[in-house]
Amino acid sequence: MRNLALHRQEVSCLDKRHFGKPRRRLSHRPCKPITRRAPCLGFPNGPGFKQDLETMLDMANSLRHDPEKPVFHVMPRHGWINDPNGPVFYEGKYHVFYQHIINGCEWDFGIVWGHAASSDLVHWEHMPPALLPTPGGADADGCFSGCCIVDEDGTPIILYTGVRLRSNPECGPLPPAECDLNLPFVETQLAAVPEGDPTLTMWSKREEPVLPMPPPDMPLVGWRDPFIFEIKGKQGNGREWGMLMGSGLKGQGGAIMIYRSESLYGGWRFDGMLCEANNTETGAMWECPLLLELTQTQASPKASAQTTGGIQSIHDSHTQLPTPTGKPASFREARNQGGQTDKAVESEPGNFQEMFGRIEPQPIASTSGKAAGGVSLLSRQISDLSIVSQDNGSGSSQQPAAQQQRQQPRQHTHFLCISPDAPTNPVLYWLGAFDHQNTKFILDGAKGPLKLDLGDILYAPNLMIDGKGRHILWGWLQERRKVGSYDYAGCLSVPRLLHLRGDRLIQEPVPEVSNLRRGQCWKTRHLSIQEEEMTPLEGLRGSSLDIEVVLDRGDASAAGLLFQGWDAAGEGSAAIVYDWERSVLEAIYEAPPRDMGATQDPDAEEDDGLRRVGGPVEADSGDVHMRILLDHSCVEVYLGTGEVLSTRIYRGHPPEDADAGISFVSYGGTANVKKCSAWVVKSIWKRDFQPHEQSSVFETIYEPVTAVMPMGSPVAA
């Protein structure tokens, strides 16, 4: 998943203590008392040791009351998290795996597959890590991203990218020159199956790689992040598996490779490129590729309101929107700027900032060409890309022309998603057609590229099909603060439903998220918001909230909600604002209400000095339906038109007995709140999973982070 575009200095600085010899691996022995671990961390054994230990324990206690730590987003108990991996619905349970550094808050080699499980998408429990690096193996220095699918016989299988550093002498010979990408590490595609455990807690790695090396003599910049889907033949016969692989072509741009096989365990043959860019405007390396045929919905506004917690949704077509980002960073820089990267690509960064550096709607590409068809027969989490045949077996059609016309598949039925270059860039997607006969996604005529999320923290999403046939997506939500006195970094988004309404992508929280609401509903109706005045949501308390609001423009140019920062200097505030003048949804940081009155003109030569995150949306000049999931520092904003903005707002410690610190704001005139409802949201976490054995791997791996985590490493905000 993450690019590691390493600088030469970064490559030369690979610490031999970590990379030049085998690293100390996680023990499977029972937990040892903290006093026995302390000496290996450099703590003194003399009289001051007790005082140092008490200080650490006091810090650990304060960490448990971190006002910024989310409570209803999936994340490990502590440590680093990035990509969601292989979400799967199996034996009546949802399982989400994720990239995880157990004993630190920054990305590093040695990454494992963390694991959480739920029976209802509401109550979750921490599970033991599913995959850990094997010393001397093809994944000795990290179990990178991949997928989990259920085979035809009902057996789950994980396919993932294992990495071994070139500097690790125990990891065997390097690939032959024609297959060597000359990265700081070697990538291999591996597989694992559960050891007869319905809870998916114990996995056995297959000895033989699924794919030992990339095709020879190709100018690839990377080869990782397998994603599996099922391909059916024209007559519904000859079912095969397809495997996407994230990649890029040197000097050309991002690309997605495709393999085919009758078996998940082997026999994979390279079938060319699913699609490729002809320039680097969308990145040099396309990580974490996804391909899915989405369901068309024809729900009425009333039905939409039921799925979005009571707010009616109006869905119409997207604009194609370049949005603000930074250019792809190097491995260490991008990884540490809010969250980060963990893989490498040796390639020029391209013109990503030029294309996505401004909030400006662009014309939608015209559609052309014929779509390969089909009806999705997705089973569990498998994307079944098929074609509807109109042949009666004799080579001629017996159906009336009008009926044949109705059965022609829609042009934009397939969702193709990539994560370009580094987590500092937005995730992009296209809506288009998959040509199953030639295994190509037709970029010409596809709608896109579009931003999957208007915010600045989502990267490397993954998806699944659950037992109800729903298309559910999770994404990695990064931090945007420096490493400090906290023991975690990152979380996953709430599970999102994906579907199509006409030719636009609709994202909304799964309905189960509403089951996390507790207590009485806070409500208000028909409230006038005066220009540049704060109108508090009086009586609303809590830092984890589910807020639904319908805004009427009135004569205002923009309106929204201001989240007050609790810092004494007034820092940490941000406003979520919808601008009717520009049809833009934005988060605007660190400014009093009156200073945000004139929202930024994209054509202005000088900006207003405020940090803004967001982009254009498609909406009319009428009401705005907004649902805000506030989980301490983590914020997800869902519009009734299907767009999402995810970001971080670090507000600090609220004063004792403080309310929620949220106010309505309006600019350029008076706006009206037609209705607003808010609920406190409870934690998703149940007790931690405990195996039957008295001494568990889980307990050993998850020792108190204050005893094992190096604190104070810099992460750029």
Side-chain angles (χ1 to χ4, degrees):
M1 43 106 300
R2 286 323 45 70
N3 281 335
L4 310 181
L6 291 168
H7 289 165
R8 284 177 296 177
Q9 179 180 2
E10 293 169 331
V11 176
S12 65
C13 291
L14 293 176
D15 191 336
K16 293 182 179 179
R17 292 174 297 173
H18 296 289
F19 303 123
K21 61 183 180 180
R23 310 169 96 203
R24 180 177 177 270
R25 298 298 166 187
L26 295 169
S27 171
H28 286 199
R29 297 189 298 272
C31 287
K32 298 294 190 299
I34 191 172
T35 53
R36 296 183 62 182
R37 284 191 65 86
C40 72
L41 297 171
F43 291 107
N45 290 317
F49 172 72
K50 181 178 180 181
Q51 181 178 357
D52 292 339
L53 181 59
E54 289 175 349
T55 300
M56 291 179 64
L57 293 176
D58 289 340
M59 184 176 68
N61 182 63
S62 66
L63 293 177
R64 286 192 290 269
H65 299 90
D66 186 342
E68 312 288 10
K69 188 171 186 177
V71 297
F72 62 87
H73 285 74
V74 170
M75 60 188 299
R77 293 198 302 175
H78 51 67
W80 167 276
I81 182 176
N82 50 282
D83 305 11
N85 294 151
V88 63
F89 185 76
Y90 179 68
E91 295 291 338
K93 277 204 167 185
Y94 297 87
H95 297 266
V96 177
F97 306 95
Y98 49 83
Q99 296 280 280
H100 181 31
I101 294 292
I102 294 168
N103 295 326
C105 289
E106 294 180 279
W107 189 92
D108 201 353
F109 287 102
I111 202 160
V112 310
W113 272 41
H115 183 192
S118 172
S119 59
D120 56 8
L121 290 177
V122 177
H123 305 97
W124 291 81
E125 56 186 335
H126 296 290
M127 308 293 283
L131 299 176
L132 294 90
T134 299
D139 63 358
D141 293 294
C143 301
F144 278 15
S145 291
C147 60
C148 179
I149 66 171
V150 179
D151 201 355
E152 292 177 343
D153 64 0
T155 302
I157 175 173
I158 285 175
L159 291 100
Y160 69 103
T161 300
V163 297
R164 53 191 174 98
L165 285 158
R166 304 176 76 92
S167 57
N168 191 334
E170 292 195 359
C171 291
L174 296 176
E178 63 270 20
C179 297
D180 192 347
L181 304 187
N182 294 307
L183 300 175
F185 49 79
V186 177
E187 297 168 320
T188 306
Q189 312 311 320
L190 305 172
V193 293
E195 298 180 354
D197 179 8
T199 63
L200 303 186
T201 57
M202 302 298 293
W203 293 81
S204 176
K205 298 177 183 177
R206 294 179 63 88
E207 293 185 5
E208 293 297 321
V210 173
L211 287 169
M213 60 189 72
D217 301 318
M218 293 190 68
L220 304 178
V221 299
W223 183 64
R224 54 181 172 267
D225 309 336
F227 177 79
I228 303 293
F229 61 96
E230 188 179 1
I231 306 175
K232 284 191 175 181
K234 185 174 181 180
Q235 305 300 328
N237 301 320
R239 177 179 297 178
E240 285 186 305
W241 297 105
M243 178 193 295
L244 304 184
M245 200 73 66
S247 189
L249 299 171
K250 292 181 179 178
Q252 178 177 323
I256 301 175
M257 306 169 71
I258 186 167
Y259 292 78
R260 299 176 75 150
S261 176
E262 288 75 27
S263 170
L264 290 170
Y265 300 96
W268 291 95
R269 61 191 183 277
F270 178 50
D271 203 31
M273 295 295 182
L274 176 81
C275 58
E276 58 189 79
N278 56 17
N279 55 58
T280 57
E281 289 181 343
T282 55
M285 168 74 192
W286 287 355
E287 299 187 298
C288 302
L290 304 173
L291 179 62
L292 178 71
E293 185 175 15
L294 289 175
T295 302
Q296 283 281 351
T297 58
Q298 302 296 331
S300 65
K302 182 177 181 180
S304 298
Q306 294 174 353
T307 62
T308 56
I311 291 182
Q312 296 182 359
S313 301
I314 302 173
H315 304 295
D316 40 14
S317 60
H318 274 296
T319 48
Q320 188 171 358
L321 43 104
T323 48
T325 80
K327 65 181 180 180
S330 69
F331 161 43
R332 298 291 176 184
E333 291 171 344
R335 185 191 68 203
N336 293 334
Q337 285 178 2
Q340 2 191 36
T341 187
D342 60 57
K343 298 183 187 173
V345 52
E346 291 191 346
S347 174
E348 64 279 355
N351 302 318
F352 204 94
Q353 188 176 16
E354 289 183 24
M355 181 174 181
F356 291 93
R358 297 188 67 192
I359 303 177
E360 257 179 51
Q362 298 292 324
I364 298 174
S366 62
T367 60
S368 62
K370 294 182 179 180
V375 177
S376 175
L377 300 177
L378 290 153
S379 173
R380 298 180 176 89
Q381 74 293 344
I382 299 168
S383 178
D384 178 4
L385 303 173
S386 59
I387 187 167
V388 178
S389 174
Q390 297 181 13
D391 195 330
N392 64 359
S394 62
S396 62
S397 173
Q398 301 297 320
Q399 297 172 329
Q403 186 175 351
Q404 291 184 32
Q405 180 67 29
R406 287 195 300 269
Q407 290 190 1
Q408 287 295 325
R410 293 176 182 271
Q411 175 73 23
H412 296 146
T413 58
H414 292 91
F415 167 78
L416 177 70
C417 182
I418 56 101
S419 297
D421 285 343
T424 48
N425 291 322
V427 176
L428 304 177
Y429 74 93
W430 289 260
L431 297 177
F434 174 70
D435 178 353
H436 79 290
Q437 292 179 323
N438 299 306
T439 56
K440 302 292 183 184
F441 183 87
I442 306 168
L443 284 179
D444 291 339
K447 183 181 177 181
L450 307 167
K451 280 188 67 177
L452 184 67
D453 192 292
L454 300 178
D456 60 344
I457 61 174
L458 184 132
Y459 196 74
N462 213 316
L463 51 79
M464 63 171 290
I465 307 301
D466 73 353
K468 302 175 183 178
R470 301 180 299 178
H471 306 157
I472 301 177
L473 178 140
W474 278 269
W476 166 35
L477 301 183
Q478 307 163 59
E479 298 289 339
R480 281 288 179 261
R481 63 178 178 178
K482 295 181 179 180
V483 169
S485 57
Y486 56 92
D487 65 344
Y488 66 93
C491 65
L492 302 185
S493 67
V494 299
R496 300 180 182 180
L497 287 182
L498 300 185
H499 56 90
L500 293 176
R501 178 78 40 76
D503 66 345
R504 67 177 291 113
L505 177 70
I506 304 301
Q507 301 180 71
E508 55 192 9
V510 296
E512 288 88 340
V513 171
S514 298
N515 295 333
L516 290 167
R517 297 166 174 172
R518 63 181 177 88
Q520 294 184 341
C521 174
W522 182 97
K523 294 182 179 181
T524 188
R525 288 178 178 271
H526 308 301
L527 185 65
S528 293
I529 311 301
Q530 300 302 312
E531 180 178 1
E532 298 185 3
E533 290 186 4
M534 297 171 57
T535 304
L537 279 65
E538 295 182 353
L540 179 62
R541 296 179 180 274
S543 298
S544 57
L545 299 168
D546 185 348
I547 304 171
E548 295 181 349
V549 60
V550 178
L551 293 173
D552 169 61
R553 177 175 182 174
D555 60 359
S557 60
L561 291 168
L562 175 67
F563 296 82
Q564 175 185 343
W566 300 115
D567 187 272
E571 297 180 352
S573 63
I576 304 297
V577 173
Y578 184 85
D579 186 334
W580 281 277
E581 296 288 339
R582 296 182 296 137
S583 293
V584 167
L585 177 68
E586 287 184 309
I588 309 174
Y589 297 87
E590 308 295 354
R594 290 180 176 80
D595 291 344
M596 293 186 286
T599 54
Q600 183 66 27
D601 182 353
D603 298 322
E605 295 183 0
E606 297 182 2
D607 62 31
D608 54 12
L610 301 176
R611 187 168 81 88
R612 297 169 180 266
V613 171
V617 299
E618 270 299 314
D620 58 24
S621 59
D623 297 347
V624 171
H625 303 258
M626 190 183 301
R627 183 174 181 183
I628 301 174
L629 299 178
L630 172 68
D631 192 1
H632 296 261
S633 64
C634 187
V635 182
E636 295 183 70
V637 183
Y638 293 82
L639 287 186
T641 47
E643 297 91 350
V644 189
L645 185 155
S646 302
T647 191
R648 293 275 183 172
I649 304 176
Y650 298 106
R651 304 170 67 195
H653 285 270
E656 188 174 353
D657 297 327
D659 62 13
I662 303 173
S663 301
F664 292 112
V665 287
S666 178
Y667 309 108
T670 299
N672 302 302
V673 177
K674 283 193 170 181
K675 61 179 179 179
C676 179
S677 303
W679 297 262
V680 172
V681 179
K682 64 183 180 182
S683 171
I684 61 173
W685 295 109
K686 302 194 296 186
R687 65 175 180 83
D688 294 337
F689 176 85
Q690 295 294 337
H692 296 299
E693 294 81 358
Q694 181 176 1
S695 300
S696 73
V697 175
F698 182 53
E699 292 172 339
T700 305
I701 291 172
Y702 282 81
E703 291 174 315
V705 71
T706 49
V708 294
M709 189 185 78
M711 301 299 249
S713 313
V715 175

